[in-house]
């Protein structure tokens, strides 16, 4: 029975890989054509730049890159080298094991994420993924994730937006690192509205019962034990926590996360 489940899962993964490879070839030619009529721009200033991030913006965002010392749990910057955890992580217990983010959620990073999510600048996800993979390759190798799981959107919001920005980011990261992406392993079952206007307690309450398993845990391979969650922003950690909670209820032993940006710790 175990061998049959593993074979079924591997067959599905192989078919998904063939589909993704075909899709990427199509997207490559689409990108070439689009670049002729709609040139790529720097995600941070919006000026035409075929290389991605322009030099002036590179200098700005380098100052926002998360450096040591950082929280040993969520990765937020902390004030002192001897400080192990940020204020939030010292006060609450998380379901995930550890996480990292690329930049502080400040201008121009927050504006770039806004453009990605609400102005259909989907190709920004590629630039963000390249920066994340270049910066955190060593750490992720130590984590050894077996799959990437993007934080799911509710079908109503996905239908309105047309895409899930976390899934776009996960696909780009997965392609660079050769890690499979499983977007339907966790699903969003309740529409929760927007979180940004809620306080930490309100965010946590709003997300209770928002997620559920999207696949039968019994169908996963027996050695499937390490997952990395992908999202755009980490604020209080409630969203990542709820997804991690579902994954661990499915038998996943280690859950990590990567995001583009994170709030300021102290």
């Amino acid at each position: 029975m175990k061998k049959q489940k593993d074979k079924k899962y591997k067959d599905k993964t192989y078919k998904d890989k063939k589909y993704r490879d075909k899709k990427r070839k199509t997207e490559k030619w689409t990108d070439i054509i689009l670049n002729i009529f709609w040139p790529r721009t720097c995600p941070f200033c919006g000026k035409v730049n075929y290389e991605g991030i322009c030099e002036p913006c590179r200098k700005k965002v380098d100052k926002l890159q998360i450096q040591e010392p950082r929280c040993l749990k969520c990765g937020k910057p902390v004030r002192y080298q001897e400080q192990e955890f940020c204020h939030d992580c010292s006060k609450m217990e998380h379901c995930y094991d550890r996480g990292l983010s690329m930049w502080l959620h400040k201008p121009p990073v927050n504006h770039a994420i806004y453009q990605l999510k609400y102005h259909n600048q989907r190709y920004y996800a590629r630039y963000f993924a390249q920066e994340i993979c270049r910066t955190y390759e060593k750490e992720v190798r130590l984590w050894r994730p077996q799959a990437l799981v993007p934080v799911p959107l509710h079908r109503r919001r996905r239908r309105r937006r047309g895409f899930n920005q976390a899934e776009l980011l996960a696909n780009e990261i997965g392609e660079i690192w050769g890690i499979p992406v499983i977007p339907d392993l966790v699903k969003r079952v309740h529409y929760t509205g927007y979180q940004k206007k809620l306080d930490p307690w309100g965010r946590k309450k709003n997300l209770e019962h928002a997620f559920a398993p999207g696949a039968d845990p019994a169908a996963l391979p027996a050695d499937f034990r390490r997952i990395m969650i992908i999202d755009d922003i980490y604020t209080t950690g409630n969203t990542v926590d709820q997804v991690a909670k579902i994954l661990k209820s499915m038998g996943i032993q280690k859950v990590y996360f990567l995001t583009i940006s994170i709030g300021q710790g102290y």
Side-chain angles (χ1 to χ4, degrees):
M1 180 66 72
K2 176 181 175 294
K3 290 183 178 179
Q4 289 179 343
K5 287 191 293 185
D6 287 359
K7 184 178 184 301
K8 183 179 179 182
Y9 181 81
K10 288 176 181 176
D11 287 346
K12 182 180 184 298
T13 303
Y14 175 71
K15 290 177 182 178
D16 289 345
K17 185 178 183 301
K18 285 183 69 177
Y19 171 76
R20 289 197 303 269
D21 289 344
K22 184 177 179 181
K23 184 180 178 183
R24 284 171 191 144
K25 288 179 181 178
T26 303
E27 288 175 346
K28 180 180 178 181
W29 284 106
T30 303
D31 284 346
I32 292 172
I33 295 169
L34 288 175
N35 269 324
I36 297 172
F37 299 100
W38 294 280
R40 292 290 190 246
T41 61
C42 170
F44 298 108
C45 66
K47 294 179 181 178
V48 173
N49 189 53
Y50 292 97
E51 302 303 318
I53 303 172
C54 68
E55 282 305 311
C57 288
R58 169 71 65 185
K59 293 177 182 178
K60 292 179 183 178
V61 297
D62 280 353
K63 294 177 182 178
L64 297 177
Q65 187 172 326
I66 309 297
Q67 305 289 348
E68 298 289 352
R70 69 179 88 196
C71 176
L72 295 178
K73 194 71 172 180
C74 73
K76 284 181 181 177
V78 293
R79 291 178 179 174
Y80 310 109
Q81 193 70 45
E82 61 273 16
Q83 186 177 348
E84 293 185 345
F85 302 106
C86 67
H87 176 77
D88 290 340
C89 291
S90 66
K91 298 293 183 182
M92 65 184 296
E93 187 174 338
H94 292 293
C95 295
Y96 64 80
D97 291 275
R98 198 173 178 193
L100 291 166
S101 302
M102 187 65 205
W103 297 292
L104 286 174
H105 193 67
K106 295 181 176 181
V109 174
N110 57 342
H111 299 321
I113 295 174
Y114 185 88
Q115 292 295 319
L116 164 66
K117 293 170 69 172
Y118 303 113
H119 289 273
N120 204 31
Q121 301 297 331
R122 304 186 193 193
Y123 65 92
Y124 284 5
R126 184 173 304 171
Y127 300 149
F128 298 146
Q130 289 169 350
E131 295 298 311
I132 289 170
C133 293
R134 178 179 58 81
T135 303
Y136 291 128
E137 182 176 6
K138 181 180 177 181
E139 288 84 352
V140 173
R141 281 184 182 275
L142 292 174
W143 293 349
R144 297 183 299 126
Q146 294 165 289
L148 307 180
V149 173
V151 171
L153 285 181
H154 189 271
R155 61 182 180 275
R156 188 195 308 177
R157 182 167 296 165
R158 179 164 187 147
R159 187 166 55 245
R160 184 166 63 243
R161 187 174 297 171
F163 61 94
N164 177 0
Q165 71 280 354
E167 188 174 337
L168 293 180
L169 184 64
N171 287 337
E172 296 292 345
I173 292 173
E175 182 175 359
I176 294 171
W177 277 336
I179 303 174
V181 179
I182 312 179
D184 56 353
L185 193 59
V186 176
K187 61 183 178 180
R188 201 164 195 142
V189 292
H190 293 297
Y191 185 77
T192 54
Y194 290 102
Q195 294 276 102
K196 56 187 177 182
K197 293 183 179 180
L198 300 175
D199 61 20
W201 185 88
R203 288 170 183 258
K204 185 173 183 179
K205 193 72 177 174
N206 197 39
L207 286 167
E208 286 182 359
H209 313 299
F211 302 99
D216 181 4
L220 298 175
D223 62 346
F224 198 67
R225 292 294 178 262
R226 298 180 303 279
I227 292 290
M228 189 157 65
I229 298 170
I230 304 296
D231 204 6
D232 54 341
I233 306 166
Y234 181 103
T235 48
T236 60
N238 286 312
T239 301
V240 172
D241 257 336
Q242 290 300 321
V243 176
K245 182 179 179 181
I246 295 300
L247 289 170
K248 291 204 169 182
S249 74
M250 297 170 69
I252 305 301
Q253 294 177 353
K254 293 289 184 179
V255 179
Y256 306 97
F257 77 80
L258 281 177
T259 68
I260 302 168
S261 69
I262 195 168
Q264 176 72 57
Y266 61 95

